[in-house]
Amino acid sequence: MHAIEKILARAAGKDRVRAGEIVTAAVDLAEINDLYLQVIQSFEAMGGKGVWDPDKVVFVFDHYSPPPTPKAADNHRVMREFVAKEGIPHLFDIDAGVCHQVMPEGGLVRPGMVLVATDSHTTTHGAFGAFATGVGATDLAVVLIRGTLWFVVPEVVKIELTGRLPQGTTAKDVVLGLLQRFKADGFVYKAVEYAGPAVTDFSIAERMVICNMAVEMGAKTTYIQPDDKLREYLAARGIEDYPIDTTDPDYEYAEVHQFDVGQVEPLLAAPHSVDNVHPVGDYAGTAIDQAFIGTCTGGRLEDLEMAAKVLRGRRIPPGVRLVITPASKEVFLKAMATGCIKDLVEAGATVTSPGCGPCLGIHQGMLGPGEVCITASSRNFPGRMGSPQAEIYVASPLTVAASALRGRITDPREVLEEGS
Amino acid sequence: MGKLQGRAFIFKDNVDTDQIYPGRYLELTDPKAIAAHAMEGADPAFPEKVRPGDIIVAGKNFGCGSSREHAVIALKEAGVGAVLALSFGRIFYRNAINLGLPAIRLAEAPKAAEGDLLTIDLEEGTIALPDGGILSFAPFPPEIRKIIQGGGIIPLVKSEQLG
């Protein structure tokens, strides 16, 4: 069996499971974000009389932090009341950050667990050796009542990453390269395991990036075999006790692919599809109105530091907006301590509260008709960040920072060479 | 679970949930208010054009992207009777089944144009096309059939809670 199958088998109380089988698995962690008052509405419509295990439930107010409208504020109020009534100990309020960042930071994510959340980027937690997948609001409400959910055991695709990242490229460019090759529907319904020496070299933050955007290729979940680097990350958060599953040597993958990260160059996804991927150089010189660095894809300390490295002691041009949204309070505090927030603000950045920022087009930097944005977030669907007539380019934090500096799409290698 | 009949609305590959239901309306919680924005990102006139029973015919990966259940609520409340596609974003697919909206995966695109009348037989797994042709699909397995027949998972779980 694959490690993912062993996790599902344990959660379903079975000795063996196989791809294609439907299993009912016990859920270890269920997270609800503030877009989905529907979870509570479905819970009540189903006659829910109390959540199955309040310790395993998490609410995170990240998409509407702080609330941009009276309705969003009222949705938060109803959720806070539900949390209080049900005795749920984990409420990350508007000061906390993006769910996929605050849950690992808070020591809630561990290897071998079954994690569901009302967010498609839940695939991020494969970086921690968890079986983690996004679900809808009513599915999550079923979990609140039953503590279980049905899953089809997925086929597993293995992607072996070899080589070393060249100067000026990042894990984001790797996952954009994968999107270029495998496309937006490459792994629909399937699980993606990342393996190989480049994955071992990657930091936890870099692993989170490639797992996060696996969903843009349709993946149901991801998996990276836990190693010493992960053990250290977990131990620093007081997590020592967890199972580590390993894949049997005779397991047959649905597909095995090799990808040499040493061949990657700075890439971007051009409007209006995540798999419309090209070298940054092909679009060099395109004028931008806004640059955005943040989210569960690109708002970690490492991302802000990359941007600061490009922008320190420099100034973005007048008329260009640079919006920075730290992924979490912890990231924000660390970025203040290292001075990188100061560097970015002095360079002309507008820093928002931790959370999802303008990624999903509800506040904190929406785009007008005809505007062009380059973003370190994950999606450039039509209308994603505001006007359907806006154009969104998805790229690495380095490319976004270099483009902000010049006011036009720029290969970060040009700027890094200048600065060195 | 009988037959469904409605006019076809044709959409391309990779219609994401931001197009089905734009993010700026995610704070809405009343199904009728949500339905007013169905498919707005792909076809702003859709909410005015759609009539009860109409059928969405899409290409690959319909409903990819965000997990927002609003996308299914919007289609269902707007009157959409079924969604046919070559493949689905998996969270959209689960959401559709959970809310009792038949999401049907086809092996090939139906020969149908915008506005053509389609008749879907969920029991038999067939779609009657305007040219007289019949397109087959795998009927739902028993677990999913039970959910669709019951009008979604909410009434099913509710009856368990009461029982």
Side-chain angles (χ1 to χ4, degrees), chain A residues 36 45-46 64 69 71 75 118 133-134 136-139 145-146 150 184-185 188-189 362 379 381 384, chain B residues 16 18 23 26-27 29 60-61 65-70 88 90-91 94-95 98 105 157-158 160-161:
Chain A
Y36 301 107
M46 289 187 285
Y64 292 124
T69 64
K71 174 64 174 157
N75 290 352
T118 53
T133 192
T138 299
D139 254 349
I145 290 173
R146 293 179 173 167
W150 66 269
D185 64 340
V188 176
Y189 311 124
I362 51 180
R379 288 179 174 153
F381 303 146
R384 173 74 182 183
Chain B
D16 55 78
D18 276 86
L26 283 168
E27 66 180 10
T29 50
K60 291 189 294 184
N61 209 18
S66 157
S67 66
R68 59 192 67 167
E69 196 163 278
H70 304 64
F88 289 94
R90 60 163 285 279
I91 307 175
R94 279 187 83 110
N95 289 344
N98 276 338
R105 196 174 167 184
V157 177
K158 188 175 184 183
E160 280 172 28
Q161 294 291 297

Side-chain angles (χ1 to χ4, degrees), chain A residues 298-309:
Chain A
R300 280 175 268 282
L301 182 63
E302 293 79 352
D303 304 311
L304 304 191
E305 283 180 338
M306 278 189 244
K309 188 177 167 191

